[in-house]
Amino acid sequence: MKRWFFLICLFIFACLPSRAQLTIDQSGQRLLIGHMLERYTGPEPSDFSTVSSSSAFQPLNSEVPNLGTSPDAIWLRLPVKNNTKQDLDLLLEIAYPLLDEIELYSPNENGTYQSIRLGEHQNFSIRKYKVPNYVFDIHLHCQSEKVLFLRIKSVEQIILPIYLSSERKFMAQMNNDSLLSGIYIGIVFIMAIYNLFLFFSVRDKGYLYYVLYVVCAGITQMGIKGYSFQYLWPNWPYFATKGPIIFGCLSGLSALLFAGSFLQLEKNAPRSKRIVTIFIVLFALGTILALINLTQVAFFVMQVTTGIGSLFVLYLSYRIMISGYSPAKYFVYGWTVLLLGSVVFLLKDYGILDYNNFTSNSVQIASVIEMALLSFGLAYSINILKQEKEESQQRELAISLENEQLIREQNTVLEQKVDERTHELKESNESLQTTLLHLKEAQSQLVESEKMASLGQLTAGVAHEINNPINFVTSNVAPLKRDIKMIWETLDEVERIAFNTDLSDSEKQLQIKKFKDDLDIGYLKTEVDYLLKGMDEGAHRTAEIVKSLRIFSRVDEDTLKFADINEGLTSTMIILNSLINNSIEVEKHLGNLPRIECHAGKLNQVFLNIITNAVYAIDKKFGGNSGGKLSIETGLTADQSAIYVKIADNGIGIPESIRDRIFEPFFTTKDVGEGTGLGMSIAYNTIAKHHGRIIVESEVGEGTAFTLHIPIQQTN
């Protein structure tokens, strides 16, 4: 029985796990020692002495242990033995910069332990080795062994690529890592600067979203590698723990904005906008959670949103690609490469793939390829838009050439008919030939003579203005004739009474007074004065309108003369009086202007065209109701060499998309029959011939202001 008991105890003792020990047989090595670590699995310890004396350690058995996320600190044990015949000065390197706290407990000569604490919660400057990774000095005497303890805490996922190496091997590896990261940063910088210049050139917001994505993604990758903490905010530990999460969220947010612009989701997948908006809100939420110190929750939100959002955007871009939108293929290829790089990186973290330079930098490599493909795709989409625009312009040019050809043919036919008719009229009547010549000259000057057409359109209004005072005069003639007749009758009666010798003077006075009272001579005098005054006002108003017409339609097109611009504006407003109803408030601020050298008639036509357009814009906005305002202001420019005329309204305004086209011939926004599209073209050409300029200020829904600058004296 004792024998069986002894054998069972021996078997149990043989099956118990033995403590693993890292043995160093030669110097100058760089060893990946994660599989030699042992993790403390006991209850939450109160101090180091509890952990160091505990037997609750289990081996990890993984080259690069992935310890997941934990709100508590994790304790690790590493037994190390120097099996060489010389003292060794080694470096213990934890190649994962995202750890918040890492503390090494190393035994002294007397058997007590001393601790060295590093991590993102401390300024970068306290580190002995100015590298992103965490590095500790380990001294081992020949043929000796030590037991090292590590205390680790982090809100992010804890991955431990841990090395024990000589200083030479360590520095060689750091130089290699710095070179690779420097190349990556350089590529990101070049991509960002190049596409930022393209944004300023083409003003396409897709380039701006791409630049934001590249910058945020680059900073995120550098934060994962620890270079952001080293170079951007080394004295700001608070942000060092949150930077990768915040920039990861910003990277995802800018990627979604870029995808929306690049894939043209509003046109190609309008129903996806709501889902994209949800992802944008989640990324914004992750950023806010990180800023208010809910870092672990923010990290979870960022990871989940990034994973699901990436798959959704890949699916969306694939659907848009197969629907026929060719630029989407660059997005599909780039996003696929990035996801594959992320998968390789995750497989490395979980020990499925080996931890090496390729797997540890797979995300950066994939990110560079993805950025390049997206940049090519962005350029390709811009080229497509440019090609479509050129094709559209070519179609418009072809239509324009066809119209021009048709007009030429029609003009040729018209000229032939005119020549035939001219020949006939020349043979029949010399005077008709002269008239025909004048008509042909008028035809060739059609655009410059639109003033007469404008006057024709305003004839009804001017006739109405003249008709009012004329009707007043006409209506006063009949009562005035009646009153004058009564006055003559009064004179006859007074004469009859005065020459009647049978009546005494007192009787004569009584009869005259009675006759005047019967006729109400006082009222008759008042009525005659009122009728004469009304006729005088009507005649004066008619003369004023006729004078304004004469000023407006001056026949001085071929000669420059000095004219009063204020007088021309006043005459134009009188002509347009019927067009400006009582619902439009007119404000005039006419300065003291010198007479300027100009073609006054042509300038009057410019004023007429601009004011007519202003009234049209006001009527479109207010529909004949009150509220419309028209302002006319004149004065001298700052340098006293020119005068300015500012005509402003509070109408519908001019959209920015057509503001550059308002001076094109035949361009109009009015309905058919309301405008020819020549008015503003004539105004522009007239001011240009006067060596002046027109400044247009407009805001949709607020109104428009035209400011004309005209030199006081023309130069040859």
Side-chain angles (χ1 to χ4, degrees):
M1 186 70 181
K2 292 182 178 180
R3 174 190 285 181
W4 282 106
F5 179 76
F6 175 76
L7 291 175
I8 292 172
C9 291
L10 182 64
F11 176 76
I12 294 173
F13 179 78
C15 293
L16 288 174
S18 60
R19 177 193 292 184
Q21 186 179 55
L22 175 62
T23 302
I24 302 173
D25 296 321
Q26 57 182 345
S27 61
Q29 293 178 306
R30 177 174 170 83
L31 303 175
L32 187 61
I33 60 174
H35 60 288
M36 304 302 296
L37 293 173
E38 297 173 341
R39 180 175 180 176
Y40 174 76
T41 58
E44 180 67 20
S46 58
D47 53 19
F48 170 69
S49 60
T50 303
V51 175
S52 62
S53 60
S54 174
S55 60
F57 280 91
Q58 296 293 329
L60 294 178
N61 297 323
S62 174
E63 290 273 333
V64 181
N66 187 334
L67 306 181
T69 58
S70 173
D72 302 321
I74 295 175
W75 289 87
L76 301 171
R77 183 171 65 186
L78 177 63
V80 183
K81 180 179 180 180
N82 180 5
N83 206 25
T84 66
K85 295 181 179 181
Q86 58 181 347
D87 292 348
L88 295 178
D89 289 315
L90 302 176
L91 297 177
L92 182 67
E93 174 193 355
I94 294 89
Y96 191 69
L98 298 181
L99 302 176
D100 297 343
E101 297 179 27
I102 179 165
E103 189 171 5
L104 174 68
Y105 290 85
S106 177
N108 296 318
E109 297 294 336
N110 58 6
T112 61
Y113 276 83
Q114 66 174 358
S115 69
I116 302 175
R117 179 179 294 182
L118 297 175
E120 289 187 329
H121 281 177
Q122 296 177 314
N123 289 350
F124 191 87
S125 59
I126 71 168
R127 301 186 185 184
K128 177 180 178 181
Y129 298 95
K130 308 303 181 184
V131 295
N133 297 336
Y134 302 106
V135 183
F136 300 93
D137 290 315
I138 304 295
H139 180 75
L140 292 173
H141 294 293
C142 62
Q143 299 296 320
S144 66
E145 60 180 82
K146 284 185 177 182
V147 179
L148 306 176
F149 291 89
L150 288 170
R151 176 183 173 275
I152 298 171
K153 187 173 184 180
S154 182
V155 295
E156 290 95 350
Q157 192 172 15
I158 299 176
I159 301 169
L160 290 180
I162 183 167
Y163 296 90
L164 192 64
S165 62
S166 65
E167 185 173 358
R168 183 176 62 84
K169 288 285 187 179
F170 167 74
M171 295 306 298
Q173 183 63 36
M174 286 297 98
N175 290 336
N176 185 45
D177 290 346
S178 298
L179 177 62
L180 293 176
S181 297
I183 292 173
Y184 176 78
I185 294 173
I187 293 174
V188 170
F189 179 77
I190 291 171
M191 289 284 188
I193 294 298
Y194 173 71
N195 286 278
L196 186 62
F197 280 126
L198 290 179
F199 165 72
F200 288 123
S201 299
V202 301
R203 295 293 179 180
D204 186 273
K205 62 182 180 181
Y207 278 103
L208 182 60
Y209 292 150
Y210 175 81
V211 171
L212 291 175
Y213 168 66
V214 168
V215 171
C216 292
I219 295 177
T220 301
Q221 292 301 317
M222 289 302 96
I224 294 173
K225 289 290 185 178
Y227 289 102
S228 297
F229 186 31
Q230 181 178 357
Y231 294 111
L232 298 183
W233 39 79
N235 297 317
W236 196 9
Y238 169 83
F239 196 72
T241 58
K242 299 171 176 56
I245 300 175
I246 292 174
F247 279 99
C249 291
L250 294 178
S251 175
L253 192 150
S254 55
L256 290 172
L257 294 176
F258 171 71
S261 174
F262 181 84
L263 299 174
Q264 298 185 10
L265 296 184
E266 291 185 358
K267 180 176 71 175
N268 296 324
R271 288 186 293 181
S272 67
K273 292 288 288 183
R274 293 182 179 178
I275 302 177
V276 172
T277 302
I278 293 174
F279 286 127
I280 291 175
V281 171
L282 289 175
F283 278 126
L285 176 63
T287 303
I288 295 172
L289 290 173
L291 291 174
I292 62 176
N293 290 327
L294 296 175
T295 312
Q296 202 153 25
V297 180
F299 179 74
F300 175 77
V301 171
M302 185 268 291
Q303 274 195 323
V304 173
T305 307
T306 300
I308 299 176
S310 299
L311 294 175
F312 174 75
V313 171
L314 180 61
Y315 164 76
L316 201 61
S317 60
Y318 177 75
R319 289 292 302 271
I320 293 174
M321 180 186 71
I322 63 176
S323 68
Y325 185 64
S326 55
K329 62 185 179 183
Y330 288 95
F331 202 95
V332 172
Y333 300 154
W335 218 246
T336 302
V337 170
L338 183 62
L339 290 179
L340 290 176
S342 301
V343 169
V344 170
F345 191 83
L346 289 175
L347 293 177
K348 174 267 299 179
D349 289 344
Y350 287 97
I352 300 175
L353 295 178
D354 292 336
Y355 190 95
N356 52 45
N357 283 336
F358 173 74
T359 56
S360 62
N361 292 288
S362 60
V363 175
Q364 291 186 25
I365 296 171
S367 177
V368 168
I369 297 173
E370 180 233 13
M371 289 177 185
L373 288 172
L374 293 182
S375 181
F376 294 151
L378 200 55
Y380 179 69
S381 64
I382 294 298
N383 287 333
I384 288 179
L385 293 176
K386 182 179 179 182
Q387 183 179 356
E388 291 176 352
K389 183 178 180 181
E390 290 176 351
E391 291 175 355
S392 175
Q393 290 176 343
Q394 289 177 355
R395 288 195 298 268
E396 292 178 357
L397 180 60
I399 295 172
S400 177
L401 291 175
E402 291 177 2
N403 292 337
E404 184 180 356
Q405 179 66 25
L406 180 62
I407 292 173
R408 269 201 308 267
E409 292 175 356
Q410 291 177 346
N411 286 341
T412 301
V413 174
L414 181 61
E415 288 176 359
Q416 290 175 353
K417 291 183 178 180
V418 169
D419 289 340
E420 292 174 1
R421 186 61 178 166
T422 302
H423 182 68
E424 294 175 1
L425 293 175
K426 185 184 291 185
E427 293 178 350
S428 61
N429 196 321
E430 187 68 23
S431 63
L432 291 179
Q433 182 183 10
T434 303
T435 303
L436 181 60
L437 180 62
H438 291 165
L439 290 175
K440 289 180 67 178
E441 292 175 355
Q443 184 183 13
S444 65
Q445 300 294 330
L446 176 62
V447 175
E448 294 185 1
S449 302
E450 200 210 15
K451 179 180 72 174
M452 301 309 298
S454 301
L455 282 175
Q457 295 176 3
L458 295 171
T459 298
V462 174
H464 176 75
E465 286 297 306
I466 295 178
N467 194 44
N468 284 337
I470 293 297
N471 285 341
F472 195 67
V473 172
T474 304
S475 61
N476 285 355
V477 169
L480 183 61
K481 291 170 81 174
R482 181 198 63 209
D483 291 345
I484 292 176
K485 181 180 178 182
M486 294 175 65
I487 291 172
W488 289 120
E489 290 176 353
T490 301
L491 291 175
D492 291 340
E493 181 65 20
V494 169
E495 184 180 358
R496 184 187 64 78
I497 295 174
F499 289 106
N500 189 345
T501 56
D502 296 332
L503 298 174
S504 64
D505 290 341
S506 59
E507 289 176 336
K508 291 178 181 180
Q509 290 177 358
L510 288 174
Q511 289 187 15
I512 291 172
K513 183 177 183 304
K514 182 177 180 304
F515 186 79
K516 289 170 64 178
D517 290 341
D518 291 340
L519 289 179
D520 197 357
I521 290 297
Y523 173 77
L524 185 64
K525 290 172 62 179
T526 301
E527 185 178 36
V528 169
D529 290 340
Y530 174 77
L531 293 174
L532 288 174
K533 181 179 179 182
M535 294 175 71
D536 180 65
E537 289 178 355
H540 179 75
R541 176 63 179 162
T542 302
E544 185 181 46
I545 295 172
V546 171
K547 177 183 176 183
S548 297
L549 281 171
R550 186 178 69 254
I551 293 172
F552 178 83
S553 59
R554 294 174 178 173
V555 187
D556 56 359
E557 305 298 333
D558 297 327
T559 59
L560 288 167
K561 294 182 179 178
F562 284 91
D564 186 349
I565 293 298
N566 287 339
E567 184 183 48
L569 279 167
T570 302
S571 67
T572 304
M573 291 300 296
I574 291 174
I575 291 174
L576 292 174
N577 191 47
S578 62
L579 191 65
I580 304 173
N581 50 42
N582 294 330
S583 62
I584 299 178
E585 178 184 349
V586 179
E587 296 180 355
K588 290 195 292 185
H589 304 282
L590 304 182
N592 187 15
L593 302 181
R595 297 173 71 85
I596 70 169
E597 189 178 16
C598 63
H599 296 288
K602 291 183 178 180
L603 290 182
N604 289 341
Q605 186 179 3
V606 172
F607 303 150
L608 176 72
N609 292 342
I610 296 177
I611 295 173
T612 302
N613 286 345
V615 173
Y616 176 84
I618 293 172
D619 288 341
K620 276 290 184 180
K621 180 177 180 180
F622 295 97
N625 299 320
S626 61
K629 289 185 179 181
L630 177 65
S631 172
I632 300 175
E633 179 183 349
T634 63
L636 286 170
T637 59
D639 59 4
Q640 306 289 312
S641 64
I643 62 103
Y644 71 86
V645 178
K646 184 176 182 180
I647 301 172
D649 64 77
N650 64 339
I652 58 176
I654 304 173
E656 187 175 355
S657 58
I658 65 169
R659 200 170 298 166
D660 294 336
R661 301 189 58 198
I662 60 176
F663 297 118
E664 294 180 7
F666 305 108
F667 176 79
T668 180
T669 59
K670 297 179 181 178
D671 297 334
V672 176
E674 293 186 351
T676 63
L678 292 174
M680 295 311 298
S681 175
I682 290 175
Y684 179 83
N685 291 330
T686 300
I687 297 301
K689 288 179 180 178
H690 283 80
H691 304 94
R693 58 194 178 99
I694 303 178
I695 301 172
V696 183
E697 300 172 283
S698 183
E699 184 176 349
V700 176
E702 298 297 327
T704 305
F706 285 84
T707 304
L708 314 180
H709 286 231
I710 308 170
I712 295 176
Q713 191 166 3
Q714 298 295 316
T715 56
N716 295 329

